[in-house]
Amino acid sequence: MAAVTLLETKGLTKTYGGLQANTDIDFILKKGLVTALIGPNGAGKSTFVGMLSGRTAATSGRVIFEGRDISQLPAHKRIQLGLAYTFQITSIFTGLTVHENVALAAARTVSADGNTLNAKVHQTLNQVGIADRADQTAGDLSYGHQRLLEIAMGLAQEPRLFILDEPTQGLAETEINDFIALIRSLAGRTTILLIEHNMKVVMATADHIAVLDQGMMLAEGTPAEISANASVQAAYLGKTVDA
Amino acid sequence: MTVARKINALHFGILLFLLICFFTLPAYHVGALSRIMVLAIYAIGLNILFGYTGLLSLGHAMFFAAGMYGLGLSIKFLGVSVVLAFGIGILSAAVLSALVGLLALRTAGVSFMIVTLMFAQTVYLVVLYFGEFTRGDEGFVLQQAERMLAGFDVTTEAGRYFVAFGAFSICLIGFSALVQSSFGKRLVAIRENEERARMLGYDVWRYKLLAVIISGTVSGAAGALYALLFGYVGATFASVQYSILPLLWVLLGGAGTTIGPLIGVAFMFYLIDASSAYTSAYMLIAGLALVVLTMFAPRGIAGILRTKVSPWLP
Ligand SMILES: Nc1ncnc2c1ncn2[C@@H]1O[C@H](COP(=O)(O)OP(=O)(O)OP(=O)(O)O)[C@@H](O)[C@H]1O
Ligand SMILES: [Mg+2]
């Protein structure tokens, strides 16, 4: 099963003025796996997934999702095809309740009927463990709970590809463990592309690891291969593995 | 009571109250309320765009004027029936708002405000330019005989009140349904966080365009109704003053609430009314009251109610 390609990029490039944030990236994402995208700060990880989701316009290159070239599609159309995206910097509807936030995320895919939608919202909030806060205003939640809400908004869309940009940033240790369990519970049911600095999370969840450095794909492989890779250690692991 | 029931009870309560007002209040207030209800429809129109979608238009007078002139000119020059003229008025506003939406939505924030202001100024100048037909600032009067709504005389106090009441009821109920619908919730989502709404797969631009069209069309309906009920069509209603007024009403009453527009119009009307009884500088008093309210209740009167008393207010 691991052989099917869900998403592929060809020569994906992004320049900001004179800065090459992503250079000519060829990348294949396998269906049903958890792929971790790691790399030092400023390596271009957010830029890369931004170009997948359509949030950031690519300077050149192509994105192919389920065999279809989506390079020209605006972000909302890509999301409609089954990509979901959680922001590195929390982006929720702070003025609305937790329930309303998730309902807005689920409403596009779940039938409009109120009961089905409410059930879906409740189930999703349970999955991330904040169901008891459904009626709170999202902006009043603690930072960690806002992160969990954002993850719930991704889950509620039942994505075919779930892109998470540093989801555990700012989470407490127990919340991180819950997150690991959550990702494992999703494994096989959906495809996950996870940007993550926390190596414990990466090692506990990833089937496959891709390393980005200075806008270029430095290495790819299984967790064991990546841990053993000398250039990865030089670029990244050696510096931040204990951070 | 479920929230939906409470909301319905509130809206029907307000309508019932307005109905009772007709039978109990002196003629002066009945006349005032007719005008307030029509202008509240105008404010509802702006509120859909500003209060719910978060797009601030400084040019809504152009939609009000489109409805007003659409009806007035087609009665005066085409001699069509009032019902048809009303349809033409609404259609004019719908077409204008679609055009303005398509162009103005290429911008956002302050640029959107300025672009809508410029478009409205253009409409105002067009009205003046075609003074031969529109009679410019002076305007023109629709005769009593020209204002029979399907055999119903809208020039009497009662006729005027009930047409205004009927139209306001439809707008309030429709508006309430709109903002509680999934469409309305998506507009609020765009107001709250446009980027997030887009990244949930919503076609933000399309929703905004629909909001501009609905908002402009409702405002245009108010303009057509105003011309019909008060029998006068003039360029003042296309001027910048009439773009700012609905904004004040909505801000005072409570942006992003269903009852705010009515409250805002009524409050401002009676504020000016009361202060003009004491001094000729009544606009000064009204202005001061506005400043005070904006300082201490930035979310408007219905906004206070929502935070202090009933958080379920739609
Ligand atoms: N909008 C922008 N304009 C200009 N430069 C940008 C912009 N966004 C990102 N960059 C630059 O592009 C490079 C890659 O940034 P990116 O955010 O993709 O890195 P990252 O790998 O996600 O880093 P981090 O781990 O800190 O999140 C950085 O040098 C960054 O400063
Ligand atoms: Mg990043």
Side-chain angles (χ1 to χ4, degrees):
Chain A
M1 69 158 254
V4 184
T5 297
L6 181 74
L7 178 138
E8 189 176 356
T9 69
K10 288 186 179 160
L12 207 54
T13 299
K14 179 72 190 180
T15 41
Y16 288 113
L19 180 89
Q20 285 270 40
N22 274 194
T23 310
D24 210 14
I25 297 182
D26 294 329
F27 178 70
I28 285 179
L29 192 68
K30 296 282 184 219
K31 190 167 181 165
L33 297 187
V34 177
T35 299
L37 181 61
I38 64 172
N41 290 108
K45 306 178 295 293
S46 296
T47 303
F48 179 67
V49 296
M51 289 193 288
L52 302 187
S53 67
R55 190 178 165 232
T56 309
T59 307
S60 62
R62 296 197 292 147
V63 182
I64 295 141
F65 182 64
E66 297 193 312
R68 175 177 173 192
D69 190 331
I70 59 168
S71 315
Q72 302 305 320
L73 290 186
H76 67 266
K77 290 240 172 77
R78 300 191 196 190
I79 306 292
Q80 286 169 12
L81 289 178
L83 274 79
Y85 181 84
T86 69
F87 291 77
Q88 177 169 5
I89 296 164
T90 311
S91 179
I92 55 176
F93 303 110
T94 49
L96 307 182
T97 65
V98 169
H99 181 97
E100 285 170 325
N101 269 270
V102 180
L104 275 162
R108 206 172 37 74
T109 41
V110 174
S111 82
D113 151 43
N115 289 334
T116 326
L117 185 58
N118 284 343
K120 177 72 193 169
V121 171
H122 190 75
Q123 178 218 330
T124 313
L125 288 175
N126 256 328
Q127 253 180 307
V128 300
I130 52 171
D132 52 333
R133 300 180 184 274
D135 295 324
Q136 281 186 19
T137 304
D140 294 343
L141 293 179
S142 70
Y143 180 78
H145 285 140
Q146 291 191 7
R147 293 300 293 166
L148 293 174
L149 172 58
E150 176 139 14
I151 293 167
M153 289 166 78
L155 282 177
Q157 299 173 64
E158 298 187 356
R160 305 169 68 74
L161 169 57
F162 193 6
I163 300 172
L164 296 119
D165 197 346
E166 297 195 27
T168 65
Q169 202 177 51
L171 291 192
E173 198 56 33
T174 54
E175 290 168 335
I176 290 182
N177 291 334
D178 291 345
F179 175 78
I180 291 173
L182 175 68
I183 294 298
R184 280 190 172 150
S185 76
L186 294 172
R189 284 197 281 154
T190 185
T191 308
I192 293 174
L193 179 58
L194 176 68
I195 297 182
E196 188 54 73
H197 274 302
N198 185 325
M199 287 313 290
K200 176 182 138 191
V201 177
V202 172
M203 291 305 168
T205 59
D207 302 303
H208 187 80
I209 298 177
V211 187
L212 204 60
D213 185 37
Q214 296 180 33
M216 282 178 277
M217 214 42 100
L218 182 71
E220 279 194 64
T222 63
E225 287 164 0
I226 293 299
S227 319
N229 186 313
S231 59
V232 172
Q233 284 181 355
Y236 185 62
L237 293 178
K239 282 186 278 185
T240 51
V241 70
D242 296 318
Chain B
M1 262 205 292
T2 67
V3 166
R5 285 239 176 98
K6 280 190 202 168
I7 292 170
N8 283 337
L10 173 72
H11 292 151
F12 282 109
I14 287 173
L15 294 178
L16 189 64
F17 172 76
L18 287 170
L19 208 54
I20 293 172
C21 282
F22 174 78
F23 294 105
T24 51
L25 290 183
Y28 172 74
H29 293 288
V30 167
L33 276 177
S34 307
R35 204 173 292 261
I36 287 171
M37 286 189 286
V38 175
L39 293 176
I41 296 175
Y42 182 20
I44 284 176
L46 182 74
N47 198 19
I48 293 169
L49 192 64
F50 170 59
Y52 286 88
T53 320
L55 287 169
L56 177 50
S57 153
L58 289 184
H60 255 49
M62 65 182 145
F63 305 128
F64 191 80
M68 175 172 261
Y69 281 97
L71 175 127
L73 293 175
S74 52
I75 287 181
K76 201 164 156 71
F77 293 102
L78 305 177
V80 300
S81 73
V82 164
V83 175
L84 183 57
F86 200 74
I88 294 175
I90 291 182
L91 191 67
S92 314
V95 170
L96 180 65
S97 48
L99 284 175
V100 169
L102 283 171
L103 295 168
L105 285 175
R106 291 162 173 271
T107 64
V110 177
S111 314
F112 182 81
M113 291 159 55
I114 291 171
V115 169
T116 48
L117 183 72
M118 296 323 269
F119 274 121
Q121 204 57 20
T122 309
V123 168
Y124 177 61
L125 292 175
V126 166
V127 169
L128 294 185
Y129 183 80
F130 290 101
E132 195 186 326
F133 304 101
T134 63
R135 310 221 41 82
D137 275 329
E138 191 188 318
F140 60 90
V141 168
L142 293 174
Q143 302 302 329
Q144 184 176 2
E146 294 171 322
R147 290 158 59 200
M148 299 295 283
L149 182 61
F152 186 73
D153 188 355
V154 300
T155 61
T156 65
E157 202 62 82
R160 187 181 296 169
Y161 194 90
F162 280 102
V163 171
F165 176 76
F168 179 73
S169 305
I170 293 170
C171 285
L172 182 66
I173 303 296
F175 177 41
S176 159
L178 177 89
V179 303
Q180 290 175 72
S181 69
S182 53
F183 176 76
K185 292 193 171 131
R186 285 160 197 187
L187 296 186
V188 171
I190 291 169
R191 178 192 74 194
E192 290 288 314
N193 186 342
E194 184 175 329
E195 172 85 337
R196 179 73 268 185
R198 177 178 301 114
M199 296 310 285
L200 287 179
Y202 295 117
D203 187 347
V204 168
W205 188 83
R206 203 182 114 243
Y207 280 96
K208 282 182 174 177
L209 180 62
L210 286 171
V212 172
I213 294 174
I214 295 171
S215 168
T217 307
V218 171
S219 300
L225 202 60
Y226 197 94
L228 179 66
L229 297 187
F230 303 102
Y232 171 74
V233 174
T236 325
F237 294 105
S239 69
V240 69
Q241 184 193 350
Y242 268 81
S243 289
I244 302 302
L245 277 174
L247 193 58
L248 287 180
W249 296 328
V250 166
L251 284 171
L252 276 178
T257 64
T258 53
I259 57 174
L262 178 71
I263 295 178
V265 178
F267 184 84
M268 188 125 140
F269 182 91
Y270 281 105
L271 182 67
I272 291 176
D273 200 48
S275 46
S276 61
Y278 296 104
T279 162
S280 58
Y282 57 87
M283 280 313 279
L284 185 70
I285 297 191
L288 278 176
L290 290 183
V291 170
V292 169
L293 205 77
T294 332
M295 280 173 64
F296 294 103
R299 291 184 185 175
I301 297 165
I304 304 179
L305 291 178
R306 189 188 265 162
T307 19
K308 297 266 152 71
V309 193
S310 39
W312 49 268
L313 273 185

